Amino acid sequence: MTQVIWIVAAVLVTFTVGYVGYSRYLAQFVELDSSRTTPAHKYEDGQEYVPSKKPVLLGHHFSSIAGGAPIVGPITAGAIWGWAPALAWVAIGNPLMGAVHDFISLSGSMRHEGKSIGYIIGEYVGERGKDMLLWFAFLTIILVVAVFALVVGIVLNAFPQAATASLVYIGLALVFGVYLYQMNAPFIPGTILFVAGVFAGVWVGIQYPLAIFELAEGAHPEGTIVLLEGTGSWMPGAGTPALNGNSAAWVPVILVYAAVASALPVWTLLQPRDYLSSFLLYAGVGGALLAIIIGTVFGTASQPLVVDSSIGAFEGFLGVDAVSPYPLFPLLFITIACGTISGFHSLVSSGTTAKQLNKESDARLIGYGGMLGEGLLAATALSTLAVAGLASEASGGGIGGALPNFATGGGIILTSFGIDPAFGAPFMALVLVSFLLTSTDTAARLGRYMMEEIVGMVGSGTDTGFSGGVGSFARGRYTNPVIQISIAYVLIISGQWNTLWGLFGGANQLLAALALLTGTVWLANWDRSKQLVSTGVPMAIMVVITTLGLTWLALYENLYVNLLQGGADGTLATASAFVQMVLALVLIYLALSLMRIGYGNISSARTGRGPAAEPGDD
């Protein structure tokens, strides 16, 4: 039997080499200089541009990028094709592609006033290219909000303890924001006090679980506080493959939370909550990895930490029988997105993080190192699958199998420390929810940033959305999130989880290719002597993989299976399949058009037909 520790060892070796060697080279390559004023200081406004201490910003960045995708993706891919292909893509792709992508996106934004990747590419290829990328990013953001809200609903249904604990730590974060930024109270004592409160919230959640409706099948844990009578079978989306009444009820709650949180100043909730939850996340990921090592070496786990017999090293090119045909190439590379490379990270890096960077030198740890941290989360998720084995639905690639495996397998792993699974499993569920909540409202905030750049701003500061006109409503701080969550909600209740996840993964990965294109264009125009291999090769790989993947999803999964063969059950599911097919084709068109425009700019810069620009020549 293969020991799970080898999964951990593989990523630790490649990630260490990447950070010690490659990230240092990249920092010198883009000429990070701590004496240069960052946008956070240059444009400090107390709303979006707020200089942050390195650990606080790392906590925000890591919490925002590490959503549910690096958990669900590796578990789903490991169940379909085996743990070895999933591990190889994470261990090799992350330091060579994903971490480079995040670091370049953060560095490029930092040199362009903290603006988005859409703004950056617009500086070099014009308004048409800028608008195309921003629309691509905005559509991807809606998919991110939909997928993450869906996953949170499912997790809170499976582990109502996490619902109570989440409320506790959100409340603590609001108080911590006042403590830090309004009272100017001591940072370290406050950290100790409020972090202790977050972990105490886990205990409160176990004692007082919270649910909205009763379960139609089975029962909530003993002592669960149920808010409403009945099973909620009337809720939109209830009865679909991914949702029951209770989980369907949590979805609009999460979407409304994301909309409200995205409109608040960053110091109110985003910064303090992400910082506090980062300790929870570090404990979950770091604790699980350490537990695997200790449990293997000293044999202290409740069961041997070996790969379960239900998980093969390699299940074949088309995967397990339950999901065939599901070709490893290109679908593995869009099924595992965030654990290896994720376009969403470029929006975080060039959206909120670049506006809070205190010193340029901080970009190496936060950009490159933050992505390696997400890779460790992906390795942890794969390890939980290996230990727990396949749940009933995991072999079908469904979320119903992926999420219970993370909490259940994590609970088994934590027994290496003598922690009872009754505590360990809800704790790991809370870790997952913490990632998801931070990513969901950060995504909604980023969607607003995208729309602000698409329609333009009038005057300085943000627009409330109530000043009149379509532009004001579209970009408004309060109205734009409503647009996002409304579309996301329709996608969620359609019940088309499998194609929605694939579309999210494909769009996300294609956005990563466009972010790498943006970085390559910036470097080519900055200095004609700059090498373009570090960004250009990953860009080319991602373009090929994601274009083929989205084509498969559009023409085979949606057009052929769902529409022509009647795989979509019901009017709403049929409409969703059609929308997803059209959306996939539109994304492919936008991406290939941008690639053509970007390639023309790079060629002009390199052949001397166009003037090279200084970095951040705004």
Side-chain angles (χ1 to χ4, degrees):
M1 299 291 286
T2 304
Q3 293 184 318
V4 175
I5 195 173
W6 293 114
I7 295 176
V8 176
V11 296
L12 287 178
V13 169
T14 59
F15 287 9
T16 300
V17 172
Y19 188 76
V20 172
Y22 200 26
S23 73
R24 179 176 285 110
Y25 162 74
L26 291 173
Q28 296 171 346
F29 176 64
V30 300
E31 301 175 16
L32 294 183
D33 184 358
S34 293
S35 65
R36 188 182 284 120
T37 303
T38 64
H41 289 283
K42 187 176 181 181
Y43 301 104
E44 185 173 359
D45 60 4
Q47 175 76 25
E48 311 291 351
Y49 290 87
V50 180
S52 303
K53 298 178 186 295
K54 187 191 295 187
V56 174
L57 186 54
L58 178 61
H60 154 68
H61 183 78
F62 182 55
S63 300
S64 296
I65 65 173
I71 294 173
V72 180
I75 289 178
T76 303
I80 296 174
W81 295 288
W83 62 266
L87 174 61
W89 177 227
V90 172
I92 298 172
N94 186 302
L96 292 179
M97 299 173 65
V100 174
H101 164 277
D102 288 22
F103 175 77
I104 290 295
S105 297
L106 178 56
S107 299
S109 176
M110 180 177 60
R111 297 286 174 80
H112 292 81
E113 315 297 334
K115 298 295 182 61
S116 73
I117 57 172
Y119 174 89
I120 297 171
I121 202 167
E123 286 286 283
Y124 303 106
V125 305
E127 287 295 311
R128 180 169 176 264
K130 168 191 170 183
D131 289 342
M132 291 175 70
L133 193 149
L134 288 172
W135 273 113
F136 188 105
F138 183 74
L139 294 174
T140 303
I141 282 291
I142 292 175
L143 292 172
V144 172
V145 172
V147 168
F148 286 1
L150 171 62
V151 176
V152 173
I154 293 172
V155 175
L156 295 184
N157 173 71
F159 292 92
Q161 305 94 325
T164 307
S166 297
L167 290 175
V168 170
Y169 98 83
I170 289 173
L172 286 170
L174 290 168
V175 177
F176 190 45
V178 174
Y179 173 90
L180 280 182
Y181 294 100
Q182 299 301 306
M183 298 173 61
N184 292 318
F187 178 69
I188 294 179
T191 296
I192 295 172
L193 177 63
F194 283 90
V195 168
V198 170
F199 281 94
V202 179
W203 179 86
V204 173
I206 293 174
Q207 299 301 313
Y208 305 101
L210 181 65
I212 298 179
F213 289 109
E214 294 284 1
L215 299 178
E217 298 180 5
H220 291 300
E222 184 179 353
T224 298
I225 301 171
V226 181
L227 299 179
L228 301 175
E229 294 183 356
T231 61
S233 58
W234 51 270
M235 286 293 303
T240 59
L243 296 172
N244 59 23
N246 186 53
S247 54
W250 277 117
V251 168
V253 173
I254 300 306
L255 289 174
V256 171
Y257 161 79
V260 172
S262 69
L264 295 174
V266 294
W267 67 265
T268 307
L269 179 61
L270 184 143
Q271 280 190 354
R273 182 211 54 209
D274 289 2
Y275 175 64
L276 291 177
S277 65
S278 68
F279 286 90
L280 187 67
L281 310 180
Y282 298 149
V285 177
L289 294 176
L290 183 59
I292 290 172
I293 296 173
I294 291 176
T296 301
V297 175
F298 298 102
T300 55
S302 61
Q303 66 183 57
L305 299 181
V306 297
V307 178
D308 189 84
S309 59
S310 62
I311 307 295
F314 179 55
E315 298 288 358
F317 182 78
L318 294 179
V320 295
D321 293 338
V323 294
S324 294
Y326 215 64
L328 183 147
F329 182 86
L331 297 185
L332 167 70
F333 305 96
I334 64 175
T335 301
I336 299 180
C338 294
T340 299
I341 179 171
S342 167
F344 174 64
H345 297 185
S346 68
L347 305 183
V348 176
S349 297
S350 67
T352 56
T353 304
K355 293 179 174 66
Q356 302 174 60
L357 204 65
N358 187 44
K359 295 188 300 183
E360 283 198 357
S361 57
D362 293 347
R364 180 187 172 205
L365 173 64
I366 294 169
Y368 195 98
M371 182 57 193
L372 295 183
E374 178 164 290
L376 292 176
L377 174 61
T380 301
L382 193 57
S383 298
T384 62
L385 169 71
V387 170
L390 291 178
S392 59
E393 299 177 28
S395 60
I399 192 172
L403 297 179
N405 261 314
F406 182 73
T408 303
I412 294 172
I413 289 172
L414 291 179
T415 61
S416 299
F417 295 137
I419 297 174
D420 191 317
F423 181 91
F427 171 76
M428 294 301 286
L430 177 61
V431 169
L432 175 54
V433 171
S434 299
F435 279 122
L436 290 162
L437 288 176
T438 56
S439 297
T440 304
D441 70 76
T442 296
R445 183 182 295 268
L446 293 171
R448 170 163 59 86
Y449 292 166
M450 299 299 109
M451 191 55 65
E452 286 177 354
E453 294 189 24
I454 290 172
V455 302
M457 292 295 293
V458 178
S460 60
T462 58
D463 193 334
T464 63
F466 302 120
S467 59
V470 175
S472 174
F473 185 83
R475 66 175 173 255
R477 187 194 317 163
Y478 305 118
T479 52
N480 176 270
V482 174
I483 298 173
Q484 296 183 56
I485 66 173
S486 298
I487 300 173
Y489 189 53
V490 172
L491 289 173
I492 292 170
I493 63 177
S494 70
Q496 297 295 300
W497 159 255
N498 288 334
T499 51
L500 180 59
W501 178 265
L503 180 59
F504 155 70
N508 191 33
Q509 299 296 67
L510 198 47
L511 180 58
L514 296 180
L516 288 167
L517 170 67
T518 301
T520 306
V521 167
W522 166 49
L523 295 172
N525 283 269
W526 171 6
D527 187 336
R528 296 188 184 97
S529 66
K530 291 286 185 184
Q531 59 89 1
L532 304 180
V533 175
S534 295
T535 55
V537 171
M539 174 189 69
I541 293 173
M542 297 311 299
V543 169
V544 172
I545 288 173
T546 52
T547 301
L548 292 175
L550 283 174
T551 301
W552 172 278
L553 292 169
L555 301 184
Y556 179 78
E557 294 285 349
N558 281 300
L559 178 61
Y560 178 71
V561 175
N562 286 330
L563 297 178
L564 298 181
Q565 297 297 314
D569 184 16
T571 303
L572 191 59
T574 301
S576 177
F578 178 78
V579 170
Q580 290 184 50
M581 178 189 70
V582 172
L583 184 55
L585 295 176
V586 169
L587 291 175
I588 292 172
Y589 168 75
L590 288 173
L592 294 182
S593 298
L594 270 167
M595 286 293 167
R596 180 181 60 81
I597 295 171
Y599 179 76
N601 174 271
I602 294 170
S603 298
S604 297
R606 279 302 157 101
T607 56
R609 295 196 300 270
E614 291 298 322
D617 184 23
D618 298 307

